[in-house]
Structure formats: structure tokens, C-alpha cells
Amino acid sequence: MTRAERRPTIVDVARAAGVSKSLVSSALRGESGVSAASRDAIAAAVESLGYRSNGWAQRLVSGRSSLVGVLLTDLRNAYQTDIVNGIEDAATAAGFEVILSHGRRDRDVLRARLGALIDLGVDAVIAVTGHLSEAELAAAGERVPLVVVGRPEEVPQAVGWVRNDDEAGARLAAEHLRERGHERIAFAFGSGRPATLARRDTYRDLVDEPREFDVREGGTALLLDAVADDGVSAVFAANDRIAAQIVAEAADRGIRVPDDLAVVGYDNTELATLVRPGLTSVDQPRGEMGAEAMAQALAQLQGGAPRAFVAAPRLVERASSGRA
Amino acid sequence: MTRAERRPTIVDVARAAGVSKSLVSSALRGESGVSAASRDAIAAAVESLGYRSNGWAQRLVSGRSSLVGVLLTDLRNAYQTDIVNGIEDAATAAGFEVILSHGRRDRDVLRARLGALIDLGVDAVIAVTGHLSEAELAAAGERVPLVVVGRPEEVPQAVGWVRNDDEAGARLAAEHLRERGHERIAFAFGSGRPATLARRDTYRDLVDEPREFDVREGGTALLLDAVADDGVSAVFAANDRIAAQIVAEAADRGIRVPDDLAVVGYDNTELATLVRPGLTSVDQPRGEMGAEAMAQALAQLQGGAPRAFVAAPRLVERASSGRA
DNA sequence: CTGAAAGCGCTTACAG
DNA sequence: CTGAAAGCGCTTACAG
């Protein structure tokens, strides 16, 4: 069979098997009331013709696509891989196919992709991103069952929501450092996102004389100055990338991690294992969060009301916070 | 409009605008012969009803989906991001929508996803992976225009192919190290993939007394031993991950990079900028490769024969290979 | 257990 | 410039 030939349809199969196309449809969909003889004849015809169902027709007539669209902020983020895998495992188990799309770190692109996914006709969308506005989420949620994984500014009631408990995670980080005897603990961040702010606020509550450094504005250098001049001996970074950057620049300046500066990151991404010393980091149960998101999408598809789920993080200890 | 209501169709628009549904279809597709009055009435009806075209019906009847499927080995690989962006830019320019799928580093999953993408009904598939067999590529290529980006064992004539020139890239790396005065240059690798083998073979041709280390089998430790015992002063790693691992373990053992050991990686991924010292690395023109892949897919769609394209790599110098 | 009919929401000729 | 008809490849009742 080359691509030039006309693709066989259910009518071709019916003719070859000597039955009606309705019966072929029944057999193909695995319905019960089909005689063994017909079933065999149909299977043989399908095989010899190389028949494959036309998905567009199937979706048009059935009114459902069995497709769930997953929208990512961008492709580069190792953080989301396990979430996607969790979604996919749950989707496969429920008979759904997953298609991915991503916003390339650009809000306009992200919004366009969300619209494209819905226009395509997916049955539900899971947006693994914190970069959609409440209005955007609400508008999309009117058109399709929608679940957000992450922490946008605000999530409308009509939209499902899965996130980790940033406050609990920040507490794990701060208390870990305090237990190790650190008193002057800094916070390093690189955005004003809600997840970051939640982590920072918890940090502020738990630490005496908070010292905060914005790495976008030379904060890394100022932080390392403070290690030398101000007795700062530990830093809680809002994510692993920032933590890795601090470890790298500390090395550039001869500041030893963890002896001179203990470092804790957030997200427990692969990066935490690739740098030296390895990063102690707060881990989100990403696979579980993905499965929960898919479960919520399914529940909405069956008429259930959107709900919110907050996952508990845990601390993964590595050398960056300990006397290795 | 809530999700419970029936979604408006072209017939609803026709009724509201007081015209036939054929005319609505013409107007919506931007055909020329529609009066301004009708056009306005239709636009107003579309607006007030919140009409959106049903993609499944459109695709069924038009026989094309304007969708290209992009298949990735896995999501985790920073290497492929720029390739995907290159594909997407070219796709958008040509009026195509891109949907992504990935194999989760598992060949069976990869093959299943490829089949699912084709069954879905995409117009073309671009497989950004080196992990499909010649037979798998040939079978898929019979069903849909197919372009591979990467270096699988063998690519059938009937399938388009875009890759970088691994031999040239390896030459850049080896000659860079030799120009810096290194005589005992090692090669570190972690797979037997064709791209790796090509890089290794070129390395062998250019270096006296090749020393090769498989990092899966304790090669990193043996390599670092050789730095101490055997005068090895430089290493060409088959990719940035391996290079980063060597830099990390060198640091663990007090071996200074680049003073005791110069390191060159391959792919120029983000990782190269995140570790210290930064990695000198061979860069593939990934955006260009993605654009070329989409151009090839388009050409095949218009009846053109599949072709092969080999992109020229270049060396990006950072501190890991120089006297910083 | 099986088949004929109607219909999903569009586009595509074709006639006027 | 516009409309009526046929058809894309399926599924869904419904009758037998």
C-alpha cells in the first residue's frame, strides 16, 4: 500500500467481508452481538485491506475525541516531565490519548496554544503552568473541562486545580537549615510568581531577620558578599535552577558549599543530582499530581464539579546542606 | 454559554444570518465571491452565537488536518527544544498546527506513540529521535510523510532525514584540544548510538593512542585515574551530560578543570552554561534543522521526494577547555 | 444476530 | 453572488 492509493473505508471492509457496514462498525467497536463467523470475516478483511479507522469521522459522529490536551509553559522544564508521565499513565488507563503543546515561555504563545488545543476538539485540557490569568482560565474553562497544575495568580472555581503545598515545602527547607544550626538564613528568588511568594512568606515567618536576594538583580553576588560580611551561612533558593546558580558562583569565588554556605533548592529536578555538591531540595510528588489532574479531568467529563487538590512535598537531602 | 448547551453549527449561523450554509462556509473560508452585506451578516451571527468551526468535520471532509505531529524520544532532553521551536515557526508560517508526543525513553512507547500520531490523522510526522529502527521508519513512512531529525541506525530512502555532521563536530572538538597543546586526549561516551560511534570514529582517526571510556561501566573513575597516572590532560565527551558528569566527579576528586583536565562536550545544551566551569561544546544549528525538517515535510506533502540534509556544527568555547 | 436509514458538521462541485 | 444537493467515513437507533 503506498500513500497514493485511496485509503480503505468501512464500506470496503464490509464489501470484502460480505456484511453491512453497520456490522463492521459493531465488530470494530467490540460490541457483543456479532457472530463468530462475521467477526472472523471482518477481521480477515481488515487485515488484508490494511484498514484503519478514520479518526476524524469517528470523532465527528461520536461527539468525543478521547483526546486530552496537555499544555506546558515550555519544553525545557525538567520539573514537568514526571507530571506529564503521571497524566499519561492515568489517561492510557482511561482510554484517552494525550497530545502535548507548549507556550515557549511566552504568555501570548501560551494563550494561543490553549485556544488551538480547544479548537482542535480535545475532550479536556490539563494546563501544567502558572502563567495563565484568571480570565484566561475562566474563558477556557467555559469551553472545555480544564484542570490547572501549578500555581497561577488565581484559579476560577469552575476550573480544577492541582498544586503542591508551597508553604509546607518552605517550612521543610527552613526548618532543615535551622536544625543544622544555621541562624542567618537567606532567601534567593528570581520571580514574583505566586509559588515563589508563598515560599518567601513562609520563610519570613520562620526566620529571624530575613535576608532576601533577587538573583535577577545581582542578588547572587550580594548573597555571596553577605556570606563573607554578614555571617549568612545558609540559603533557601526558590528553585533548583537558582540553587545551582548559587553553587556555581560560590565555587567561582572560593566559597565552599556546604561548609561556608548551605544550600537548599526546590523541585528536586534532575539538576539537583547533576551539580556538585548535589542539591538538597524540596520534592513535589509529581507523578501523583499528574494522576490526580487526569482523574479530575475525567470527573469533570462525567459532570462532576471541579475541585482543588494540594499535594504534600517532602525534603530530599543531599550534600549541599550537610557536612558531606 | 456554558458547556451544557449545544454548540452552534454552521446551520445555526446560516439561519441567524438569513443565508444558506454553503455561503457561510464560503465566507468563513475567506473565499472571494461573497457580498459585503452577506459577509457582515455572517460575521455578526458568528459573533453573537459564539460559533467555532468543528475541526473534526472540517478535517473529515477536506481530507487534510493541517496538523503535523512531532515525536520526541522523551521530554527531558533540552537538546530538542530549539529543534521543536524551529519546526513550529516553520509550521505556523505554513498554516499548520503542531502537536507533540514523546516516547518516555522507551522504544515500545515510542513506537506506540508514532502509531497513535498517524492514527490520529496528522498530515505529516517529524520524528526527533534516533531510536526508531529502519523497519519502523519504513512502515510509518508508508502511511504518512515522515522526516527524521537525528541519527538512527538506518533511515530508509522513502523517509526524509535531517541531522548534524557528527564527523565534522568531532573534528572540531579534537582539533580544538590539540591546538591547545593536549596530546593525550580521551573520549568518553555512554551509548552505542550511531551519532556516538561517528564521533568516536573521527576521534580515533585524529588522535594518537586513543583512550576510550564508557561512563556506564565506571569509565568516569577510570578516566580520572588516567589523568593522574597516564598523563591524560583532555577529554572529548560524546555529549554535555557526560561532560558535566566528568566535571562533577573531577571536582569530587580535586582534579581541576581545565588546568588538570580540559573538557569538551557536544550539543551545547543549557547544561553547558549551568555547570562550572562552563562547558566548551559542539553546537548543532537546531533551529535551522527544525525549519529544514518542516520544509521537507511540506515538500513531501506536495509530492516531492524525501531528501537528506546534513547541518554543519560549530564549536562554542567556554572555560572547561581553556586556561580560564 | 444483521441491515437499511438517518445523521454528525462540514466542503465541494454545480446550477442558476 | 447564492442555494440545493451530494458526500466525507463513521455511529446510532431501529426494525426485523
Side-chain angles (χ1 to χ4, degrees):
Chain A
M1 185 184 70
T2 70
R3 291 201 305 266
E5 291 171 26
R6 189 180 65 87
R7 193 173 145 179
T9 75
I10 204 173
V11 174
D12 300 314
V13 175
R15 190 177 313 129
V19 299
S20 75
K21 64 173 187 166
S22 318
L23 199 58
V24 174
S25 176
S26 299
L28 257 30
R29 277 173 297 113
E31 284 190 0
S32 52
V34 180
S35 71
S38 299
R39 199 174 288 283
D40 291 348
I42 290 167
V46 164
E47 172 68 20
S48 76
L49 292 172
Y51 169 79
R52 298 208 165 231
S53 170
N54 181 315
W56 310 131
Q58 227 167 345
R59 295 186 169 98
L60 170 60
V61 70
S62 71
R64 61 198 307 272
S65 65
S66 296
L67 243 36
V68 19
V70 172
L71 180 66
L72 308 173
T73 303
D74 64 61
L75 235 39
R76 216 160 224 146
N77 198 341
Y79 158 78
Q80 63 207 1
T81 306
D82 294 330
I83 294 176
V84 173
N85 288 351
I87 292 170
E88 287 180 334
D89 289 338
T92 302
F96 280 75
E97 197 71 42
V98 169
I99 63 181
L100 261 39
S101 203
H102 66 122
R104 299 170 65 159
R105 297 187 174 170
D106 179 323
R107 275 195 49 146
D108 293 334
V109 175
L110 190 69
R111 191 181 334 113
R113 291 285 183 244
L114 175 59
L117 231 29
I118 299 175
D119 284 341
L120 184 61
V122 298
D123 287 338
V125 171
I126 299 175
V128 186
T129 179
H131 295 279
L132 289 164
S133 73
E134 185 176 18
E136 286 160 352
L137 292 171
E142 269 187 8
R143 296 182 58 201
V144 72
L146 176 62
V147 180
V148 174
V149 183
R151 193 153 181 174
E153 300 290 342
E154 205 81 50
V155 177
Q157 275 257 321
V159 172
W161 190 11
V162 177
R163 63 179 179 88
N164 105 112
D165 189 337
D166 293 297
E167 289 78 1
R171 191 169 306 116
L172 287 172
E175 285 177 353
H176 171 73
L177 290 170
R178 292 212 310 196
E179 278 165 16
R180 302 238 158 172
H182 295 286
E183 299 193 338
R184 304 210 173 168
I185 303 173
F187 180 72
F189 63 101
S191 82
R193 297 176 44 218
T196 302
L197 299 183
R199 293 166 197 177
R200 183 204 61 189
D201 290 347
T202 301
Y203 156 84
R204 282 185 183 168
D205 289 346
L206 293 176
V207 163
D208 302 326
E209 296 183 59
R211 292 160 176 84
E212 297 165 12
F213 299 90
D214 187 337
V215 298
R216 292 168 302 186
E217 296 169 357
T220 312
L222 295 175
L223 165 64
L224 296 173
D225 290 345
V227 173
D229 311 337
D230 190 30
V232 165
S233 67
V235 58
F236 169 37
N239 63 49
D240 286 348
R241 272 205 57 160
I242 293 169
Q245 197 176 317
I246 291 168
V247 169
E249 294 195 24
D252 293 344
R253 290 169 60 155
I255 294 173
R256 296 165 302 163
V257 175
D259 297 310
D260 303 331
L261 179 68
V263 178
V264 175
Y266 208 109
D267 288 343
N268 191 32
T269 51
E270 194 181 29
L271 188 56
T273 68
L274 285 175
V275 300
R276 285 297 179 276
L279 298 174
T280 292
S281 187
V282 179
D283 181 72
Q284 306 186 28
R286 289 170 289 193
E288 186 190 312
M289 289 164 71
E292 164 69 18
M294 186 65 211
Q296 285 200 21
L298 249 25
Q300 282 191 45
L301 238 19
Q302 288 160 7
R307 41 179 210 262
F309 177 83
V310 181
R314 74 195 167 84
L315 190 76
V316 176
E317 298 186 26
R318 295 198 183 82
S320 70
S321 67
R323 314 286 182 268
Chain B
M1 186 182 69
T2 70
R3 292 203 302 268
E5 292 171 25
R6 189 180 67 86
R7 193 173 144 179
T9 73
I10 203 173
V11 174
D12 300 314
V13 175
R15 190 176 315 127
V19 298
S20 74
K21 63 173 186 164
S22 319
L23 199 58
V24 175
S25 175
S26 299
L28 258 29
R29 277 172 298 112
E31 285 190 0
S32 53
V34 180
S35 72
S38 298
R39 197 174 290 282
D40 291 347
I42 290 167
V46 163
E47 172 67 20
S48 76
L49 293 172
Y51 168 80
R52 298 210 166 229
S53 169
N54 180 315
W56 311 131
Q58 225 167 344
R59 294 183 171 100
L60 170 59
V61 69
S62 72
R64 61 200 304 274
S65 65
S66 296
L67 242 36
V68 19
V70 171
L71 180 66
L72 308 174
T73 303
D74 63 60
L75 234 42
R76 218 160 221 145
N77 198 340
Y79 158 79
Q80 63 208 0
T81 306
D82 295 329
I83 293 176
V84 173
N85 289 351
I87 292 170
E88 286 180 335
D89 290 337
T92 301
F96 280 74
E97 198 69 43
V98 169
I99 63 180
L100 261 40
S101 203
H102 65 123
R104 300 170 65 158
R105 296 188 174 169
D106 178 324
R107 275 196 47 146
D108 293 335
V109 175
L110 190 68
R111 193 182 330 112
R113 291 285 184 244
L114 176 59
L117 230 29
I118 299 175
D119 284 341
L120 184 61
V122 296
D123 287 337
V125 171
I126 299 175
V128 185
T129 179
H131 295 279
L132 289 164
S133 73
E134 185 176 18
E136 286 161 352
L137 292 171
E142 269 187 7
R143 296 182 58 202
V144 73
L146 177 61
V147 179
V148 174
V149 182
R151 194 153 180 171
E153 299 289 344
E154 205 82 50
V155 177
Q157 274 258 321
V159 171
W161 191 11
V162 176
R163 63 179 179 87
N164 104 110
D165 189 336
D166 293 295
E167 288 78 2
R171 192 169 305 117
L172 287 172
E175 286 178 352
H176 171 73
L177 290 170
R178 292 211 311 196
E179 279 164 16
R180 302 239 158 172
H182 296 285
E183 298 192 338
R184 301 207 175 171
I185 303 172
F187 180 72
F189 63 102
S191 82
R193 296 177 43 218
T196 302
L197 299 183
R199 293 167 196 177
R200 183 203 62 190
D201 291 347
T202 301
Y203 157 83
R204 281 185 184 167
D205 289 346
L206 293 176
V207 163
D208 303 327
E209 297 182 57
R211 293 161 174 82
E212 296 166 10
F213 299 90
D214 187 338
V215 297
R216 292 167 302 187
E217 296 169 358
T220 312
L222 295 176
L223 164 65
L224 297 173
D225 289 345
V227 173
D229 311 337
D230 190 29
V232 165
S233 66
V235 58
F236 169 37
N239 62 50
D240 286 348
R241 273 205 57 160
I242 293 169
Q245 197 176 318
I246 291 168
V247 169
E249 293 194 27
D252 293 343
R253 290 168 61 156
I255 294 173
R256 294 165 302 162
V257 175
D259 298 312
D260 302 330
L261 179 68
V263 178
V264 174
Y266 208 109
D267 288 343
N268 191 33
T269 52
E270 193 179 32
L271 188 57
T273 67
L274 285 175
V275 300
R276 284 296 178 279
L279 298 175
T280 293
S281 187
V282 179
D283 180 71
Q284 306 187 27
R286 288 171 289 193
E288 185 190 315
M289 289 164 72
E292 165 69 18
M294 186 64 212
Q296 286 200 20
L298 248 25
Q300 283 191 46
L301 236 21
Q302 288 161 6
R307 43 179 209 261
F309 177 83
V310 181
R314 74 196 166 85
L315 190 76
V316 176
E317 296 186 28
R318 294 196 184 84
S320 70
S321 67
R323 313 287 181 271

